[in-house]
């Protein structure tokens, strides 16, 4: 059967599902289509023309390569297609976004046929996705006296690819659609269990919200022609949780504008809003698409005559509505005055933060990529011509305050800044282009990251990236047909692109499903590094890490750069002494609780948490930084003592060496170079040349939080509070309760120890508790299932060597087998111990879930509605978060324990201990390294 015949079969299948023909990325299929177009009498010629013109993906796909070459023939008159004139062929090339199309346009622009060269040159002037090989060709032609090349370079130096674009509308009329009340997780916009379809944009779009919401949006469009839909999180923040470009893509698909008539299902410019604005990671993703993000502030705290907040019976501030955004409300956005107006023109909210000069540029250009590449192209062209480029783009915001020291994040940004005058020191609020040292791509967003790399015509990782990793952890639980179709293809692409990959395309080494954050934490070998990862939980114990949308990940891989403002910081220090029966996870929970008590508001939101935790090694410190994503922080930085940092770097070296020993080294020698970088950094610290990163004594912080360890006297649980009368208070991480609150009466249906929040010590705690319980009770019986998923294979290897895995296996009713991985997700659980494959497991919620309506007690980070556990018809699912010993004991008891039961269960067990750096460490470090 020909590829075209198979494509027709696929079209028939998709039509039955209500889907359009799938966009084509296969060059061999396009070659068949081109052959049918050449044959004037071919029965499928008309359809082939439609697929060729409107359904072939642009960028660096093999399909784009075949399409570009055929269009080149048409422009040169070597092929005649009445439906595609040479002029139309050039228009089609202009929409193909680089790679093969730029190569063809350069071929045409630099040839002797002056008429064709000038036409192609005019098209090239609109393109921005040029790489060194492309500009090198222009440079050589210019040096040889080619007038077309010189003209193109002058156009680039003037940034006409940007200045010739139309300005954004003076006013945007919108009609509101409330997607939900309270914080809207990206899981609502792009559910994790539909991750397999993200690269198929039309299919994936069907999972946004629900069918009723999609129908309502379509009805609003019909009722309000010419107006754009504003999707709203009422009484909440839009886009919290995971870093999902797919979520923004889905919103754009239903509410935005088509980017190009020749690129199907690629929409841009959505309008999204929240009462409390847009989460930082989601705001960046909105920028990628040139969209508008709005902070409505339509609900405010009600105050008394003295200006103090009025509290309800639960102690929460009472909110009152300033203006209504009920679904179907027509509003106006004045982009010049930067105001949100009612339909009649009444001013409702200031939108200055939505229309900064940089964001307006993104909107005008159709997305942030075009601006990033455009700025670089202008600089390169001016350098070739030896001229000073005119100021076209909004100047970066540079804030430098004399006499003020630098926070840790300010130091990192200054050290990695690009395009800043030598010697100039920048403080928080400055817009900075920075070098990115480490990049991580995870497997459920990876296929789309690959698409973005193809779309921006990137073919190889930037040599300036120190380390990059493609994980397999989000699809580790179940090796089903979806995973089998997607993951090997993804790993092959990323390995060829230059990343270290969890799965070897050649099958030389055993597939790894280690949790991405753990691997990135190991391959980060510099506390001055900047890390970008395709997951909201990209938080490291070394350097500063930012969870990012897959587009920003693609950009970082291709250019080794990112652009963002320097965030403000909140300083967190500790005092007092940790009680012997407490686990460090309780310090994490207490930080959130004490911060809210001290500050009233969540001062962590959108800021850097600079945590002075100096005596904990990388694995344990990571528990804190990882959690900061749920505190809505933009990132976190650990301030470590010199010796602690050296030990953490030595640990990183040993784990990188294990990766090399397993055969995971990239052909470029990336892992070996990381070990060399770690050695250099260790030498710098030991010699005193460059001590471990610390802020200046006179640094300025947005707020300072002091966590009193003496106040932490019993284990704590983060509760989703699913029945709170105030919907905006549900499923946040702000409700932290001691176990005594539950009176040993809270039924637990399932326990989960796993995800990135646990380290080797946690799994050892499970084994030790089970041994203790057997000694005291004579046997171990679980009254609720206990699921255990170690985050890495290294941990399992070490547990096997130390005997702990044998203990776990003795009590387990299920142990994973890599030779026969599960092909189907578990839907029901027995009251046994499940030893699952390393990876995200229940925390991800895209494959494994608890049974609907369960109350789950977990060590993970996710308590969003429907993530770990969905609601049943009779009961809301709950995902409560606690330390490992609390989870294990609760699974054995089938309920939350009393404090006395807990103390007895952990007696003699080495929990993760912590003492503030100001104290002599002595017993401050856990043995679980």
């Amino acid at each position: 059967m020909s590829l075209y015949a198979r494509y027709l079969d696929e079209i028939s299948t998709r039509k039955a599902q209500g889907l359009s023909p799938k966009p084509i990325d296969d060059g061999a299929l396009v070659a068949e289509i081109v052959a049918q177009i050449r044959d004037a009498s071919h029965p499928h010629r008309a359809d082939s023309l439609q697929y060729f013109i409107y359904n072939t993906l642009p960028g660096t796909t093999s399909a784009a390569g075949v399409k570009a070459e055929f269009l080149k023939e048409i422009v040169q008159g070597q092929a005649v297609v009445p439906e595609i004139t040479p002029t139309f062929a050039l228009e089609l090339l202009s929409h193909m976004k680089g790679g093969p199309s730029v190569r063809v346009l350069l071929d045409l622009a630099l040839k002797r046929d002056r008429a064709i060269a000038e036409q192609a040159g005019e098209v090239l002037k609109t393109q921005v996705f040029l790489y060194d090989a492309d500009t090198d060709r222009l440079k050589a032609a210019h040096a040889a006296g080619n007038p077309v090349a010189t003209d193109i370079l002058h156009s680039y130096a003037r940034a006409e690819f940007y200045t010739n674009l139309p300005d954004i509308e003076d006013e945007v009329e919108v009609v509101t659609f409330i997607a939900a009340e309270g914080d809207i997780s990206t899981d609502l916009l792009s559910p994790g269990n539909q991750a397999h379809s993200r690269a198929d944009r039309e299919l994936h779009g069907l999972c946004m919200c629900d069918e009723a919401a999609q129908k309502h949006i379509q009805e609003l469009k019909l009722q309000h022609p010419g107006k754009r839909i504003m999707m709203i999180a009422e009484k909440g923040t839009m886009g919290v949780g995971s870093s999902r470009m797919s979520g923004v893509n889905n919103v754009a698909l239903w509410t935005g504008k088509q980017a190009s008539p020749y690129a199907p299902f690629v929409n841009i410019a959505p309008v999204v809003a929240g009462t409390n604005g847009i989460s930082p990671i989601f705001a960046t993703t909105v920028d990628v698409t040139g969209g508008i993000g709005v902070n409505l502030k339509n609900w405010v705290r009600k105050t008394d005559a003295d200006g103090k907040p009025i509290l309800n019976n639960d102690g929460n501030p009472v909110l009152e509505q300033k203006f209504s955004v009920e679904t179907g409300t027509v509003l106006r956005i004045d982009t010049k005055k930067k105001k949100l107006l009612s339909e009649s023109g009444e001013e409702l909210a200031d939108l200055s933060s939505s229309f900064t000069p940089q964001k307006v540029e993104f909107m005008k250009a159709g997305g942030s990529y075009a601006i990033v590449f455009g700025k670089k192209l202008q600089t390169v062209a001016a350098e070739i011509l030896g001229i000073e480029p005119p100021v076209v783009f909004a100047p970066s915001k540079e804030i430098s305050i004399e006499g003020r020291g630098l926070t840790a994040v300010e130091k990192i940004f200054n050290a990695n800044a690009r395009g800043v005058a030598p010697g100039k020191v920048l403080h928080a609020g400055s817009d900075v282009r920075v070098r990115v040292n480490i990049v991580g791509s995870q497997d459920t967003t990876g296929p789309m990251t690959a698409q973005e790399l193809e779309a921006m015509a990137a073919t190889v990782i930037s040599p300036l990236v120190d380390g990059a990793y493609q994980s397999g952890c989000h699809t580790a639980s179940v090796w089903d047909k979806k995973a089998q179709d997607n993951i090997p293809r993804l790993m092959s692409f990323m390995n060829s692109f230059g990343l270290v990959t969890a799965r070897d395309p050649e099958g030389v080494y055993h597939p790894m499903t280690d949790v991405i954050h753990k691997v990135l934490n190991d391959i980060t070998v510099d506390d001055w590094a900047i890390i970008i990862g395709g997951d909201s939980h990209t938080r490291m114990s070394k350097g500063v890490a930012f969870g990012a949308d897959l587009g920003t990940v693609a950009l970082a891989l291709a250019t080794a750069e990112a652009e963002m403002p320097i965030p403000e910081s909140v300083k967190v220090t500790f005092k007092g002494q940790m009680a012997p029966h407490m686990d460090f996870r309780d310090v994490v929970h207490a930080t959130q609780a004490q911060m809210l008590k001290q500050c009233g508001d969540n001062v962590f939101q959108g800021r850097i948490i600079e945590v002075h935790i100096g005596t904990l090694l990388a694995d344990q410190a990571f528990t804190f930084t990882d959690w900061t994503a749920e505190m809505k922080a933009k990132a976190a930085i650990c301030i470590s003592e010199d010796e602690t940092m050296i030990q953490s770097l030595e640990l990183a070296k040993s784990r990188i060496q294990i990766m090399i020993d397993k055969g995971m080294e990239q052909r470029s020698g990336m892992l070996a170079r990381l070990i060399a970088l770690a050695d250099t950094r260790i030498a710098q610290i030991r010699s005193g040349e460059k001590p471990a990163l610390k802020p200046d004594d006179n640094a300025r912080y947005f707020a300072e939080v002091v966590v009193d360890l003496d106040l932490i006297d019993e284990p704590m649980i983060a509760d989703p509070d699913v029945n709170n009368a105030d919907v905006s208070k549900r499923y946040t991480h702000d409700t932290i309760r001691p176990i005594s609150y539950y009176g040993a009466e809270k039924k637990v249906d399932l326990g989960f120890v796993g995800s990135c929040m646990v380290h080797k010590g946690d799994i050892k705690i499970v084994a030790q508790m089970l041994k203790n319980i057997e000694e005291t009770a004579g046997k171990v019986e679980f009254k609720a299932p206990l699921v255990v998923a170690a985050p890495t294979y290294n941990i399992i290897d070490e547990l096997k060597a130390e005997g702990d895995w044998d203990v776990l296996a003795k009590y387990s009713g299920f142990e994973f087998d890599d030779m026969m991985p599960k092909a189907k997700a578990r839907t029901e659980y027995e009251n046994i111990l499940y030893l699952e494959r390393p990876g995200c497991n229940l925390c991800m919620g895209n494959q494994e879930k608890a049974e609907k309506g369960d109350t789950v007690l977990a060590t993970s980070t996710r308590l969003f509605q429907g993530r770990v556990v969905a609601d049943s018809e009779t009961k809301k699912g709950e995902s409560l978060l606690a330390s490992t010993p609390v989870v294990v004991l609760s699974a054995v008891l089938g309920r939350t324990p009393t404090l006395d039961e807990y103390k007895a269960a952990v007696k003699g067990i080495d929990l993760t201990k912590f003492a503030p750096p100001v104290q002599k460490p002595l017993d401050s470090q856990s043995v679980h390294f």
Side-chain angles (χ1 to χ4, degrees), residues 217-250:
I217 289 171
Q218 295 290 62
E219 290 171 349
L220 288 171
K221 286 181 179 179
L222 292 173
Q223 294 164 10
H224 301 273
K227 297 180 178 64
R228 291 160 70 179
I229 305 296
M230 176 191 280
M231 186 170 282
I232 296 172
E234 175 78 313
K235 296 184 182 177
T237 302
M238 171 64 80
V240 300
S242 299
S243 48
R244 296 211 178 143
M245 183 77 186
S246 53
V248 171
N249 283 346
N250 278 350

Side-chain angles (χ1 to χ4, degrees), residues 100 115 144 248 293 305 316 321 370-371 381 390 435 493 511 874 899:
V248 171
N316 296 316
Q321 191 179 56
I371 295 299
R435 180 190 166 186
F493 178 94
T874 58
L899 182 56

Side-chain angles (χ1 to χ4, degrees), residues 774-785:
E774 185 176 48
E775 286 177 10
T776 56
K779 59 180 179 178
V780 176
E781 282 187 335
F782 294 95
K783 293 186 178 177

Side-chain angles (χ1 to χ4, degrees), residues 72 88 125 170 179 210 215 256 304 309 345 370 426 460 574 640 696 775 779-780 800 888 903:
K72 179 182 176 181
F88 186 31
K125 290 176 183 179
D170 290 348
D210 55 37
K215 183 179 178 181
D304 59 22
L426 301 179
V460 66
F574 302 85
S640 287
D696 291 330
E775 286 177 10
K779 59 180 179 178
V780 176
K800 286 180 177 178
V888 174
K903 285 182 176 180

Side-chain angles (χ1 to χ4, degrees), residues 757-896:
M757 285 292 286
V758 300
H759 54 85
K760 175 183 168 185
D762 289 279
I763 312 301
K764 290 180 77 72
I765 287 170
V766 177
Q768 292 166 353
M769 289 188 72
L770 295 179
K771 285 194 295 185
N772 286 0
I773 290 169
E774 185 176 48
E775 286 177 10
T776 56
K779 59 180 179 178
V780 176
E781 282 187 335
F782 294 95
K783 293 186 178 177
L786 178 61
V787 178
V788 175
T792 69
Y793 280 93
N794 284 350
I795 286 175
I796 290 178
D797 290 343
E798 292 171 21
L799 292 171
K800 286 180 177 178
E802 295 165 16
D804 296 279
W805 192 260
D806 288 340
V807 175
L808 295 170
K810 172 186 173 183
Y811 298 113
S812 72
F814 171 86
E815 183 177 354
F816 78 93
D817 181 355
D818 272 340
M819 300 306 293
M820 296 183 64
K822 280 187 296 183
K824 188 177 180 181
R826 186 177 284 112
T827 56
E828 296 180 349
Y829 295 81
E830 300 176 50
N831 291 343
I832 59 174
L833 170 63
Y834 294 86
L835 295 178
E836 296 285 358
R837 198 179 193 191
C840 302
N841 202 272
L842 285 164
C843 186
M844 181 58 195
N846 64 318
Q847 292 181 324
E848 299 279 72
K849 278 186 185 294
E851 293 185 42
K852 290 183 178 180
D854 272 1
T855 293
V856 179
L857 195 60
T859 61
S860 66
T861 55
R862 301 310 207 194
L863 49 64
F864 307 134
Q865 186 174 17
R867 181 62 177 264
V868 173
V869 55
D871 297 342
S872 70
E873 293 182 0
T874 58
K875 182 180 177 297
K876 290 179 180 290
E878 298 177 274
S879 176
L880 292 86
L881 311 177
S883 67
T884 293
V886 170
V887 172
V888 174
L889 184 56
S890 298
V892 170
L893 298 173
R895 58 169 172 80
T896 52

Side-chain angles (χ1 to χ4, degrees), residues 385-424:
L385 295 170
I387 63 175
E388 190 69 28
V391 177
V392 170
F393 299 102
S396 294
K397 187 177 180 182
E398 296 186 349
I399 298 174
S400 186
I401 303 171
E402 190 173 351
R404 178 185 291 184
L406 297 175
T407 64
V409 75
E410 288 170 339
K411 284 191 172 185
I412 292 178
F413 269 67
N414 276 277
N416 289 281
R418 297 288 181 267
V420 177
K424 186 158 191 178

Side-chain angles (χ1 to χ4, degrees), residues 16 156 175 183 214 344 420 433 508 584 621 632 644 715 797 889 906:
Y156 287 159
V175 58
D183 288 352
Q214 296 164 15
S344 62
V420 177
R433 201 173 90 246
V508 174
F584 180 66
K632 299 183 181 177
T644 304
D797 290 343
L889 184 56
V906 299

